[in-house]
Every structure is written in C-alpha cells, then in structure tokens.
Amino acid sequence: MAKKYTTTHEVAYYECDVNQTMTFPSMLGVVIKTSEEQSDKLGRGSEFVSNFGLTWVITNYQISITRLPKVGEVVNVTTQAREYNKYFCYRNFWIHDQDGNELVMIESVFVLMDLKNRKMSSVIEEIIEPYESEKIKKIKRAPKFESIQEGAVVPYRVRFYDIDSNQHVNNAMYFNWMIDVLGYDFLTSHVPVFVNIRFDKEVEYGNTIDSHYEIITLEEQVETRHEIRIGELLCCEATIQWKKK
Amino acid sequence: MAKKYTTTHEVAYYECDVNQTMTFPSMLGVVIKTSEEQSDKLGRGSEFVSNFGLTWVITNYQISITRLPKVGEVVNVTTQAREYNKYFCYRNFWIHDQDGNELVMIESVFVLMDLKNRKMSSVIEEIIEPYESEKIKKIKRAPKFESIQEGAVVPYRVRFYDIDSNQHVNNAMYFNWMIDVLGYDFLTSHVPVFVNIRFDKEVEYGNTIDSHYEIITLEEQVETRHEIRIGELLCCEATIQWKKK
C-alpha cells in the first residue's frame, strides 16, 4: 500500500468566489502543496528531482466533487502516489470534512520532464521508491474529450501573476480562463460535479490564449466543453459536468 | 494601548510569483484574514457589523517593504486597530520573520459603509469598543498622488474570480492590473519598497477597467504611478516605489 500523507487546511475567504466555495485554482494549489510536503518529508523534494535534470509535470486531472469546501471550513487534504508504469505516475488526492465525509476526490497523472529539452523522461526508481507506489503494466486512459461543435471564444492575455516559478503558466490557472467564459449567471446557478482536464502544451508569459467553450444541456445535467488554444495549437482541453443549484 | 493579534502563516508556492516572493494580492489576503480573525475573537465579526446594516471597507493602504516574504517561509502576521476618529479607523499590520525582523508594515484606513446606500457611516462605538483603539480628533492624510503625465494604458475585463462574496472586486485584485502592465523584465529586475494606494470607487463584475501607468526613473529609485479607471471615472490610484535588484 502506497504511503498516504494528510494535512489540514482552513479555507480562507480569498480562496473562494461569490458562491462562498473554493475556486478550482485555490483547491488545486492546496492539494499540490500537500504532495510537495509529502515529497519533502520523504527526501524527494524538487531539489532532489532537479539533480536528475528533471521536474514533475501534471498532465491530467479527474476531479469528482460531492461538495465544494466552504469559507472558514477546516478540511483534511490527503494524497497518495498509488501506482506507476514506465512513464506515468498516478497520484490521488482527497479532501474530507471534519466528519470524515469525502468532499472531493482527484485522480492525477504526473510525468517527469527533462528540464533542458522539456521532453518526457521515463520514471526513475530512485525518485519514486520512498512513496511505495505499486508498479503496474497498464496505461490508464482518462475519458475521451468530445470536440467543440458550435462554441464561442474569448481571448485572454497571460498575466504576470499567472506564471509560476518555472516561468510557465501554473496548471491551476487554466481554470481562470475556462470558468470565466461561462459568466456570472451560469456560475451562480450551477455547481460542478466532475471535471476531466488534460494539459497538452505549456503556455508562457506573453502568449494570448483563446478560451473556446460550448455549453451542452442534457436532461438533468449540464456539460461544458473547453479548449484553450494559441491560434490553432491546442494547449488544454476539459469537460466539466454541472448540476443545477 | 489597542489590542494586538498575531497569527502564523507559511508562505505557499501559489502565493508567490516568479521572483519566489509573495504577490501583493496574496499578502493582503493573508493580513486581512488576520484582522477578520481578531474581529471574530472579539465578537465583532462581519455578522455583528451587518446587524447594523454596515460593512467594513478599506480606503487606503501604505505598505512599507523591507523584504518580501519568500516561498516556504514561516511569518508572523500582527494587526492592531490603533486609532479612530468620527469616520476613519486606522489599523496597522506587520509581517515579521522568525527572527523577529520586520519584513512589511502596512498602515490602512477602514470605514464603515451602509450596505443599502453604499455611503460612509460614522464610526459606531459598540462595534469598535473591544479593540481598545485610541480616539483621536485628527484626520490622518496619506501622501498625495501625482497625476500621470505621459502614461500608457492597458484594458482588463473583470473576471469571475476577481469578485468576492460582496459581488465587488476585492481590493487586493487591483494589484493584478497595476502590476501586470509593468511587464516581465521590469518585475524581475525591481523590488517594491513602498506602496501608497487609495480606493475611490468600487469596480463590479462586467466592468472593463483601464490600467493607466507611468514609469518615472529617479536617481537611485524608480517610481511607478497607477490609475485604474472606468472610462473617465477614477476607481483607484497608486504610487509604487521600487529599487533595482
């Protein structure tokens, strides 16, 4: 059984939107911090990884939401690097309330990237050994994305505060562009229940991205489809399932 | 002597920019949270204030920076509601490192605003009594602003995540628009030492604001002047003093 690591977090007002619940960028910031803390405690922090000329990059998230954490709520954030194969590491995150109810579950895919040529590296045993993840042969496939048929598009310029210490846009920031296009009325009358997102290409400072989207109303649920593009180049795609409030 | 209240904060990676130091929105978020905690502990939380049909609004900050807090650093955040007169409450914040060195000192002006007509109310003794602030006659004046002579301007649309639970743009968000216009090269070669900012008019969702700015190079220092406007309407003005790295 791979090691689990849990931290406690009190949800601050500035991590929440008008709905008084945590935003996606805040939520992902907090869970990733937990995994960084686990790595530091196991002696596998970013410095250790960069000694191999490598860095961790997240390529996918699947986020299942029972209830979004609320302002002032104290939550437990747990992470576990569960499995890996030749190229991919599968890490889970859970957010629980103080009664032990699962609020959010996140499945993620991490890969090691060469800092120089920015290409994927195979997994290095010495880096991942202390997490005690299970070695598997299978490559897990995330749900496929439906392409946008009749969408709309809003352009965004990458801002200085959108980039992180690696000079690239932090994965969590893509949600700013995807969420914003849906508009105030939609965002205050719907809550997300599931997100499937894939990061294909890094976005840099100075880029202007186009946030393409389409809102598809099914029976009980609403699905929004998203593509972040620089011109024709696809940088990120996502599907979000919502329920009405 | 007015009561002081101190909390501890560990600076997270997502609170920092490429310089590995805290952004202004993050720093202000953390200090304001400390004052909210003090208010809650003293039985003067937002619910108590809203029973009078009022809410706190911040009109000014003067921020003196010795050194910006760094990623991973544990800091102490202290606040004290020092003085008040008929309309204005003067609250200070300090950020100290673990050796007790002052990193940042913030002077702020709070006013009570009527939730219905959004006009300023006079200070109500029952609300501020437990802070034990000193009553003064004097109205403190912040340094004046020089108007922009030959500036440039960049428009920004207010995003969903820019607004807070009161449906208005959180004060700290103005810094996104003011900082971003200065550009990557400037922001990675200069560090801020002093900020004087005044909030004149609330910005709402759906607004497009213009971020006007001018960079003035003095001998040792660089000063940037900022105005956030909606058309002709001045919403916020600021002066930031920088030193070269």
Side-chain angles (χ1 to χ4, degrees), chain A residues 160-161 164 167 176 180 184, chain B residues 18 160-161 167 176 180 184:
Chain A
F160 184 70
Y161 282 155
D164 65 16
Q167 318 279 334
N176 280 327
D180 191 52
Y184 186 90
Chain B
V18 293
F160 184 71
Y161 282 155
Q167 317 278 333
N176 280 327
D180 190 53
Y184 186 90

Side-chain angles (χ1 to χ4, degrees), chain B residues 38-226:
Chain B
Q38 184 191 33
S39 296
D40 287 341
K41 294 236 156 113
L42 296 175
R44 293 298 180 274
S46 55
E47 214 169 304
F48 186 92
V49 178
S50 69
N51 284 340
F52 291 85
L54 301 173
T55 187
W56 286 112
V57 169
I58 298 161
T59 63
N60 294 72
Y61 286 117
Q62 288 172 61
I63 310 173
S64 302
I65 303 149
T66 309
R67 172 172 76 70
L68 289 167
K70 291 182 287 198
V71 181
E73 188 170 15
V74 176
V75 293
N76 289 331
V77 182
T78 301
T79 188
Q80 184 184 37
R82 293 163 76 90
E83 299 164 325
Y84 71 104
N85 51 40
K86 193 174 177 197
Y87 287 103
F88 302 101
C89 297
Y90 302 102
R91 182 184 275 279
N92 279 20
F93 300 94
W94 296 266
I95 303 176
H96 288 95
D97 69 13
Q98 290 305 287
D99 298 325
N101 300 307
E102 182 185 294
L103 304 185
V104 179
M105 198 269 275
I106 304 175
E107 296 173 83
S108 69
V109 182
F110 280 62
V111 302
L112 286 165
M113 190 183 70
D114 189 293
L115 281 165
K116 275 205 194 116
N117 63 22
R118 300 198 84 77
K119 287 198 173 140
M120 213 199 295
S121 152
S122 56
V123 173
I124 289 172
E125 292 286 344
E126 200 181 335
I127 293 176
I128 63 154
E129 182 269 325
Y131 301 99
E132 298 179 12
S133 313
E134 185 191 347
K135 186 162 192 174
I136 57 172
K137 292 238 163 113
K138 201 180 138 198
I139 293 175
K140 296 185 173 190
R141 304 278 176 200
K144 287 215 171 138
F145 295 93
E146 304 282 340
S147 58
I148 291 175
Q149 300 299 320
E150 295 179 30
V153 57
V154 180
Y156 290 88
R157 214 162 5 91
V158 176
R159 298 179 184 174
F160 184 71
Y161 282 155
D162 294 335
I163 51 174
D164 64 16
S165 51
N166 299 316
Q167 317 278 333
H168 290 84
V169 173
N170 187 306
N171 274 348
M173 292 301 164
Y174 289 72
F175 278 95
N176 280 327
W177 306 322
M178 298 193 311
I179 291 300
D180 190 53
V181 294
L182 299 174
Y184 186 90
D185 291 344
F186 184 93
L187 293 167
T188 51
S189 58
H190 294 78
V191 286
V193 292
F194 181 74
V195 179
N196 181 30
I197 184 165
R198 187 173 75 200
F199 305 102
D200 296 301
K201 199 94 185 113
E202 292 177 304
V203 175
E204 292 174 33
Y205 184 77
N207 289 149
T208 292
I209 64 89
D210 288 320
S211 181
H212 297 261
Y213 70 105
E214 183 174 23
I215 301 177
I216 292 161
T217 307
L218 308 164
E219 275 178 33
E220 283 290 286
Q221 278 200 342
V222 177
E223 186 173 292
T224 59
R225 295 174 185 166
H226 303 268

Side-chain angles (χ1 to χ4, degrees), chain A residues 9-20 22-26 28-30 32-33 36-37 154-168 170 173 175-177 179-180 182-185 187-188 205, chain B residues 9-20 22-26 28-30 32-33 36-37 154-168 170 173 175-177 179-180 182-185 187-188 205:
Chain A
H9 180 76
E10 186 187 334
V11 181
Y13 75 92
Y14 51 81
E15 295 171 336
C16 296
D17 63 26
V18 293
N19 298 310
Q20 317 275 348
M22 258 186 135
T23 68
F24 283 109
S26 300
L28 293 172
V30 167
I32 295 305
K33 185 166 180 256
E36 289 187 354
E37 279 182 39
V154 181
Y156 291 88
R157 215 163 3 93
V158 176
R159 297 179 185 174
F160 184 70
Y161 282 155
D162 294 335
I163 49 174
D164 65 16
S165 52
N166 300 315
Q167 318 279 334
H168 290 84
N170 187 307
M173 292 301 163
F175 278 95
N176 280 327
W177 306 322
I179 292 299
D180 191 52
L182 300 173
Y184 186 90
D185 291 344
L187 293 168
T188 52
Y205 183 77
Chain B
H9 180 75
E10 185 186 334
V11 181
Y13 75 92
Y14 52 80
E15 294 171 338
C16 296
D17 62 25
V18 293
N19 298 309
Q20 317 275 348
M22 255 184 136
T23 67
F24 283 109
S26 301
L28 294 171
V30 168
I32 295 306
K33 185 166 180 253
E36 290 186 353
E37 278 182 37
V154 180
Y156 290 88
R157 214 162 5 91
V158 176
R159 298 179 184 174
F160 184 71
Y161 282 155
D162 294 335
I163 51 174
D164 64 16
S165 51
N166 299 316
Q167 317 278 333
H168 290 84
N170 187 306
M173 292 301 164
F175 278 95
N176 280 327
W177 306 322
I179 291 300
D180 190 53
L182 299 174
Y184 186 90
D185 291 344
L187 293 167
T188 51
Y205 184 77

Side-chain angles (χ1 to χ4, degrees), chain A residues 45-238:
Chain A
S46 56
E47 215 169 303
F48 186 91
V49 178
S50 69
N51 283 340
F52 291 85
L54 301 173
T55 187
W56 286 111
V57 169
I58 298 160
T59 63
N60 295 70
Y61 286 117
Q62 288 172 63
I63 309 173
S64 303
I65 303 150
T66 308
R67 170 172 78 69
L68 288 168
K70 293 182 286 199
V71 181
E73 186 169 18
V74 175
V75 293
N76 289 331
V77 182
T78 301
T79 187
Q80 184 185 36
R82 293 164 76 91
E83 298 163 327
Y84 71 103
N85 52 37
K86 192 175 178 196
Y87 287 104
F88 302 101
C89 297
Y90 302 102
R91 183 185 274 280
N92 278 20
F93 300 94
W94 296 266
I95 303 177
H96 288 94
D97 69 13
Q98 289 305 288
D99 298 325
N101 300 307
E102 181 183 295
L103 304 183
V104 179
M105 198 269 277
I106 304 175
E107 296 172 84
S108 68
V109 181
F110 281 62
V111 300
L112 286 165
M113 190 184 69
D114 188 295
L115 282 164
K116 274 202 194 118
N117 63 22
R118 301 197 86 77
K119 285 195 175 146
M120 211 201 294
S121 151
S122 56
V123 172
I124 289 174
E125 292 286 343
E126 200 181 335
I127 292 176
I128 62 154
E129 181 270 324
Y131 300 99
E132 298 178 11
S133 312
E134 185 191 349
K135 187 162 192 175
I136 57 171
K137 291 238 164 113
K138 201 179 138 199
I139 292 176
K140 296 184 170 190
R141 305 276 175 201
K144 287 214 171 138
F145 294 94
E146 303 282 340
S147 58
I148 291 175
Q149 300 299 321
E150 294 178 30
V153 56
V154 181
Y156 291 88
R157 215 163 3 93
V158 176
R159 297 179 185 174
F160 184 70
Y161 282 155
D162 294 335
I163 49 174
D164 65 16
S165 52
N166 300 315
Q167 318 279 334
H168 290 84
V169 172
N170 187 307
N171 274 348
M173 292 301 163
Y174 289 72
F175 278 95
N176 280 327
W177 306 322
M178 298 192 312
I179 292 299
D180 191 52
V181 295
L182 300 173
Y184 186 90
D185 291 344
F186 183 94
L187 293 168
T188 52
S189 58
H190 294 78
V191 286
V193 292
F194 181 73
V195 179
N196 181 30
I197 184 166
R198 186 174 74 200
F199 305 102
D200 296 300
K201 199 91 184 113
E202 293 176 303
V203 174
E204 293 175 33
Y205 183 77
N207 289 150
T208 293
I209 64 90
D210 288 321
S211 182
H212 298 261
Y213 70 104
E214 183 174 23
I215 301 177
I216 292 162
T217 306
L218 308 165
E219 275 179 32
E220 284 289 288
Q221 278 200 340
V222 178
E223 185 172 293
T224 59
R225 296 175 184 165
H226 303 268
E227 293 170 7
I228 304 296
R229 292 179 178 272
I230 301 175
E232 287 299 298
L233 184 70
L234 183 63
C235 301
C236 170
E237 51 193 328

